[in-house]
Amino acid sequence: MKIINFRRQLLLTTFASSMAIAMSAPAQAADASTQANDSNQIQDIIVSARRRNETLQQTPIAMTAIVASQLESKASVSIADIQGTAPNLLITQQVTGGAAANISIRGLSFADIEKSFDPTVAVVVDGAFIGTSTGQLLDFFDIDSIEVLRGPQGNLFGRNTIGGVINIKRSRPKEELGGKFEMEYGSFNTMSERGVLHVPLVKDKLFAKVFAFHTQTDGFYKYYTDRSPRGGGNNTNFGASFLYKASEDFDALLTLEKQVSEQDNVVSNISGTGEVFCLFAAVPGECNRNTTKDLYTVFADPGQARYSSPAATLEMNWNAGLVKLTSLTNYRESKDSSYEDVDSFAEPFYKVDRHSKYRQISQELRASGQFAENFDFVVGGYFFDSKYTLNQKTSLFGGDFYQSQITHGTSQSVAAFGDFNWEFLPKLRLNFGGRVTHDKKGLDTSAPDGAGVFTDFGWNHKSWTKFTPKVSLDYRPTHDLMVYGSWSQGYRSGGFSGRGLDQVSATTPFNPEKVNSFEAGVKAELFDRRLTLNLAGFYVKYKDIQETITKSGGSTGNITIVENAASAKVKGIEADFTARPIDGLTVRGSLGYLHNRFSGFTNKEAWSITDGDDNVLDSGLHIYDYSGVNMIYAPKITASVSFEYKYELGNDHQVRLNGGYRYIGAYDQQVSRDARIPTIQDNGTTVLTSNDPRVRANKQSLLDASLSYILPTGGGETRITVFGRNLLDNRGPATAFTVAGLWSFATAREPRVYGVQVGYKF
């Protein structure tokens, strides 16, 4: 009954909002006739969220579009800087993986660097899907646009998009000589140099773009004895793109690139009384620390993480008259190594030395066109293949490293999809389609068995096939208003746990996740296109959730694996707007509200008591009911408001002032029982109402500002920008994790940062 009431309220709210806006449309239309040439109107943003070029306001999807000028004016550094800008969007950095990101949209997330797991939110760069969370934390200098698509996008973007898609487009080679260059210096001795150069090679036929970005920093952590910096590193991206235009009907774009990074692998200890590692703490203050300011002091010298990833992408487009054909081929590989002192104590008790190799190949073929003036389509096929190897060694309690794991994994996916737009009545349009996907996963793990003998648990594989449909209906009573409603299904492939370290956990597959998503929304342009307002409400039924669970076993004593642990219901409301109230001033804002609830979420752990001869004296089963805890990376409220003001000084000199405030509510980062609390039910069910409080990220109030001076220089323009991020110095965890009964650790968010940029473009 509650579900029915919520859907009814959602539809009534959307309908009422639509009618209120529609009633004002005639007056606005009259104003438009007299102010059609107003330069202060908000310009159309062209997006490709449905593999077509259409305006943002005419696309029946809840999405936020971010253009290059917004990123430049905010002095944005990476994809993480857009979190909070779009409703119900959260992005944090996972420091234990190369350029890895934890991304959550509408509370649907998966935070892990293991290559055996697929992301919940897809990051797509120039049309190519990045198959793992490593490599998703991208530099923002050479970006044309970013589209944040919220909700399942399995129809056109693939199986692992049940939360949504971040669709990133970089600049294409230009037909005229041009470029832009930038240098930056900021807090923690952070230095960056970035450059992009466009060069025509053969007139009207062949054009090139070369780019290189480099950033290095000392890091914002402090060592506990002398306060020297920790957490430093450097990151380099470089490459070239070549655009060949054989004719007006055919072009080909080849991009060759590589990313290389090295960084201190820093984690902060948050272990507490009752956990094993606190029995060995050597320095006062190592245990029972808070999860805010204490995180920025570390006790161990960090290990090193290295990441190298070359990639190649080839896009070909052929306009064959009635149909446009597109081929997108992508190859990406990576090598990453990570030496981690996980407990972060002055005396190391748990160290890990990880080395992994990964490669992916994907091929997509699409055809798009029109059957008739009121009927267009996109159809295609997709192929994806990946494989990886993980070699891990472990040291426990200060002992020598031993071989703890060698894992080989494979993944193949084949899909066919179609998407159709039919305006069957004037102003009324039906969008429908679907995707059929066949996935196959394989895994082979070798690890010490219960007797300490290194054992191959055998090669295992499993396949899944799923059809995911989508249907939406939109109505456009005027050019400035659209109302829509949609139903879609999402699917994320099953697989095997790459962290499984015994016979059962390494060979038992987990099944796919599935979502049913209902959405209704309204998009409007008001006050002679000086205000755009987009509203959406959604309800999601989430089944067979792939949840990370820690169990006892394996050579390390604990195994972190993935199981289909629960179902959940997620509902919420989203709004974003852009306004230009006066000449030179642009104001943007967003608001997201999220409510979620697990159901049927239990975890079972066997226990036993033995004597000195390993004879079992007593045994039983601990059953933990997690149905009352929070979903991870799902803040209840996200909100933002920002402005950009441009003031012309004359003679093409300009001042730009930018400011923004983002609020992100508190959220949990792991489904985790607080191991410091003794279990009451040895042979029954213990009901948990919250996760371990140490894995809860405190609420964030993030204030950013920048001031730029732009002046003409030598046929181009020079920009000088001073900026500050997180001016309120809001501190807390970026990630946090506990291993029941043993230890707990976290990484910290970036504190207050100041800096200056000098850029030139022509």
Side-chain angles (χ1 to χ4, degrees):
M1 183 61 68
K2 290 182 179 179
I3 295 173
I4 295 174
N5 288 339
F6 174 77
R7 293 178 186 169
R8 185 178 298 152
Q9 292 170 8
L10 173 63
L11 293 174
L12 287 174
T13 300
T14 303
F15 179 77
S17 302
S18 304
M19 292 303 101
I21 295 171
M23 290 174 65
S24 65
Q28 295 159 17
D31 292 340
S33 65
T34 60
Q35 302 178 20
N37 296 319
D38 191 342
S39 62
N40 205 39
Q41 291 179 335
I42 297 171
Q43 302 300 308
D44 287 333
I45 298 177
I46 304 300
V47 298
S48 58
R50 300 194 302 159
R51 303 293 195 186
R52 307 166 174 87
N53 290 330
E54 53 192 345
T55 68
L56 171 66
Q57 294 304 109
Q58 296 294 319
T59 305
I61 295 175
M63 63 177 295
T64 300
I66 302 169
V67 297
S69 60
Q70 291 176 249
L71 302 172
E72 179 182 282
S73 60
K74 291 171 58 178
S76 296
V77 177
S78 72
I79 189 175
D81 290 329
I82 68 171
Q83 74 162 342
T85 302
N88 293 321
L89 170 66
L90 193 67
I91 303 175
T92 59
Q93 182 177 4
Q94 176 62 269
V95 296
T96 55
N102 299 331
I103 306 176
S104 170
I105 295 180
R106 292 181 173 176
L108 275 64
S109 67
F110 192 82
D112 207 309
I113 62 168
E114 291 297 343
K115 308 298 192 296
S116 59
F117 308 130
D118 297 318
T120 301
V121 175
V123 173
V124 177
V125 181
D126 294 339
F129 165 68
I130 298 178
T132 72
S133 63
T134 54
Q136 290 184 339
L137 208 70
L138 300 167
D139 191 291
F140 262 179
F141 186 65
D142 185 33
I143 302 295
D144 265 358
S145 66
I146 299 176
E147 301 167 5
V148 181
L149 285 60
R150 303 186 293 276
Q153 307 296 327
N155 188 12
L156 287 171
F157 284 94
R159 69 197 193 284
N160 299 314
T161 57
I162 62 174
V165 171
I166 299 180
N167 188 26
I168 299 173
K169 290 185 175 182
R170 297 178 293 190
S171 68
R172 294 167 66 91
K174 301 184 186 304
E175 297 186 12
E176 297 180 353
L177 181 67
K180 63 176 184 176
F181 308 91
E182 179 181 275
M183 297 185 67
E184 176 185 319
Y185 182 79
S187 303
F188 315 113
N189 199 28
T190 301
M191 294 180 286
S192 298
E193 306 87 28
R194 306 180 180 101
V196 178
L197 180 65
H198 298 269
V199 181
L201 300 178
V202 178
K203 185 177 181 180
D204 299 329
K205 291 294 183 181
L206 183 62
F207 317 94
K209 177 189 77 171
V210 293
F211 58 91
F213 321 134
H214 177 258
T215 299
Q216 64 184 49
T217 180
D218 289 346
F220 53 74
Y221 293 92
K222 300 297 182 182
Y223 193 52
Y224 79 105
T225 55
D226 58 6
R227 310 302 295 170
S228 56
R230 295 292 189 273
N234 64 79
N235 183 73
T236 303
N237 299 68
F238 60 92
S241 296
F242 302 91
L243 177 61
Y244 174 62
K245 291 187 174 182
S247 66
E248 293 184 358
D249 296 324
F250 179 84
D251 64 68
L253 175 65
L254 173 65
T255 299
L256 305 173
E257 59 188 309
K258 187 174 184 178
Q259 180 177 9
V260 179
S261 68
E262 295 184 358
Q263 65 183 34
D264 289 345
N265 213 347
V266 176
V267 294
S268 290
N269 168 50
I270 56 172
S271 298
T273 301
E275 292 181 305
V276 171
F277 281 7
C278 280
L279 300 176
F280 300 91
V283 178
E286 280 189 283
C287 279
N288 299 312
R289 306 201 306 159
N290 67 49
T291 56
T292 51
K293 293 185 178 180
D294 284 353
L295 296 180
Y296 297 81
T297 298
V298 296
F299 296 90
D301 283 326
Q304 280 287 315
R306 294 180 174 87
Y307 176 74
S308 175
S309 178
T313 305
L314 175 62
E315 177 187 342
M316 296 184 290
N317 297 286
W318 178 34
N319 189 343
L322 297 178
V323 64
K324 177 182 177 181
L325 301 176
T326 298
S327 170
L328 189 71
T329 309
N330 176 253
Y331 175 84
R332 180 181 298 270
E333 66 178 43
S334 67
K335 295 181 180 179
D336 57 274
S337 62
S338 176
Y339 175 81
E340 305 169 33
D341 178 4
V342 178
D343 55 84
S344 191
F345 280 8
E347 295 294 332
F349 292 103
Y350 180 58
K351 296 183 292 184
V352 177
D353 188 15
R354 295 165 46 91
H355 298 265
S356 70
K357 296 181 180 180
Y358 171 84
R359 75 106 177 100
Q360 69 171 61
I361 300 172
S362 64
Q363 174 63 56
E364 183 172 60
L365 295 172
R366 293 196 308 269
S368 60
Q370 288 186 308
F371 290 125
E373 186 176 349
N374 64 339
F375 201 136
D376 65 78
F377 67 91
V378 177
V379 297
Y382 181 76
F383 170 77
F384 178 89
D385 179 88
S386 72
K387 64 179 181 180
Y388 82 99
T389 299
L390 170 65
N391 187 328
Q392 179 169 309
K393 297 180 180 180
T394 303
S395 169
L396 287 173
F397 300 102
D400 294 333
F401 277 102
Y402 66 91
Q403 186 72 61
S404 58
Q405 180 180 2
I406 298 177
T407 295
H408 304 279
T410 61
S411 175
Q412 293 88 34
S413 181
V414 180
F417 58 87
D419 187 81
F420 306 91
N421 275 329
W422 178 29
E423 189 171 2
F424 60 95
L425 289 174
K427 303 179 181 179
L428 198 59
R429 183 173 56 172
L430 176 68
N431 173 248
F432 61 95
R435 187 184 193 101
V436 59
T437 305
H438 178 76
D439 288 319
K440 182 178 180 180
K441 295 283 188 72
L443 192 78
D444 179 17
T445 293
S446 299
D449 63 11
V453 178
F454 199 73
T455 304
D456 188 342
F457 300 129
W459 180 261
N460 295 271
H461 59 83
K462 189 171 182 179
S463 300
W464 301 268
T465 301
K466 179 66 176 177
F467 175 67
T468 50
K470 179 180 180 180
V471 178
S472 71
L473 186 68
D474 63 80
Y475 174 57
R476 292 167 289 171
T478 70
H479 177 73
D480 300 326
L481 175 65
M482 179 176 69
V483 183
Y484 70 92
S486 69
W487 166 73
S488 61
Q489 287 189 340
Y491 154 78
R492 185 159 71 116
S493 174
F496 294 86
S497 292
R499 297 180 185 274
L501 297 179
D502 60 20
Q503 184 69 43
V504 174
S505 63
T507 61
T508 303
F510 53 87
N511 288 317
E513 291 180 331
K514 299 176 285 293
V515 298
N516 273 284
S517 179
F518 304 87
E519 181 177 300
V522 56
K523 296 189 174 186
E525 297 172 324
L526 306 169
F527 306 113
D528 189 25
R529 300 188 69 185
R530 291 173 180 261
L531 171 67
T532 62
L533 176 63
N534 298 333
L535 305 171
F538 59 90
Y539 171 74
V540 178
K541 297 174 68 175
Y542 195 6
K543 295 182 179 180
D544 298 322
I545 299 175
Q546 297 169 10
E547 196 64 63
T548 300
I549 296 174
T550 301
K551 294 178 176 288
S552 59
S555 60
T556 61
N558 280 267
I559 302 173
T560 302
I561 62 172
V562 168
E563 291 185 350
N564 297 103
S567 297
K569 296 172 183 176
V570 184
K571 55 188 177 182
I573 298 174
E574 299 168 338
D576 56 25
F577 74 88
T578 301
R580 289 191 175 169
I582 61 173
D583 188 33
L585 176 64
T586 302
V587 182
R588 299 179 176 90
S590 69
L591 176 65
Y593 168 79
L594 195 64
H595 176 78
N596 59 76
R597 185 177 71 253
F598 278 123
S599 62
F601 188 178
T602 60
N603 183 27
K604 300 177 181 179
E605 294 184 11
W607 63 270
S608 63
I609 299 175
T610 60
D611 60 18
D613 297 323
D614 291 332
N615 296 312
V616 177
L617 302 177
D618 195 9
S619 64
L621 195 65
H622 291 156
I623 302 175
Y624 302 103
D625 187 345
Y626 288 93
S627 299
V629 307
N630 295 320
M631 292 178 63
I632 62 173
Y633 294 98
K636 189 173 184 178
I637 299 291
T638 56
S640 70
V641 61
S642 65
F643 73 90
E644 179 181 41
Y645 181 65
K646 300 179 181 179
Y647 183 73
E648 302 292 342
L649 298 175
N651 297 322
D652 295 326
H653 289 237
Q654 186 185 82
V655 171
R656 296 180 188 173
L657 177 62
N658 290 267
Y661 172 78
R662 294 173 289 159
Y663 174 83
I664 301 173
Y667 58 89
D668 292 348
Q669 301 169 91
Q670 181 192 7
V671 174
S672 172
R673 174 179 61 87
D674 191 346
R676 300 168 300 176
I677 301 174
T679 302
I680 298 175
Q681 300 290 336
D682 279 343
N683 290 289
T685 300
T686 301
V687 177
L688 304 173
T689 57
S690 64
N691 293 308
D692 189 318
R694 293 170 296 171
V695 301
R696 188 161 182 79
N698 55 316
K699 63 183 179 181
Q700 302 175 47
S701 293
L702 306 175
L703 182 64
D704 309 314
S706 68
L707 177 65
S708 299
Y709 177 61
I710 295 122
L711 66 157
T713 308
E717 66 175 34
T718 297
R719 174 180 55 86
I720 304 171
T721 300
V722 292
F723 65 88
R725 291 193 300 270
N726 189 14
L727 292 174
L728 301 178
D729 200 27
N730 184 276
R731 299 192 176 208
T735 58
F737 198 81
T738 68
V739 180
L742 292 181
W743 73 91
S744 303
F745 62 91
T747 62
R749 298 194 296 263
E750 182 185 66
R752 181 190 294 122
V753 168
Y754 299 106
V756 59
Q757 291 179 346
V758 178
Y760 175 72
K761 65 180 179 180
F762 67 99

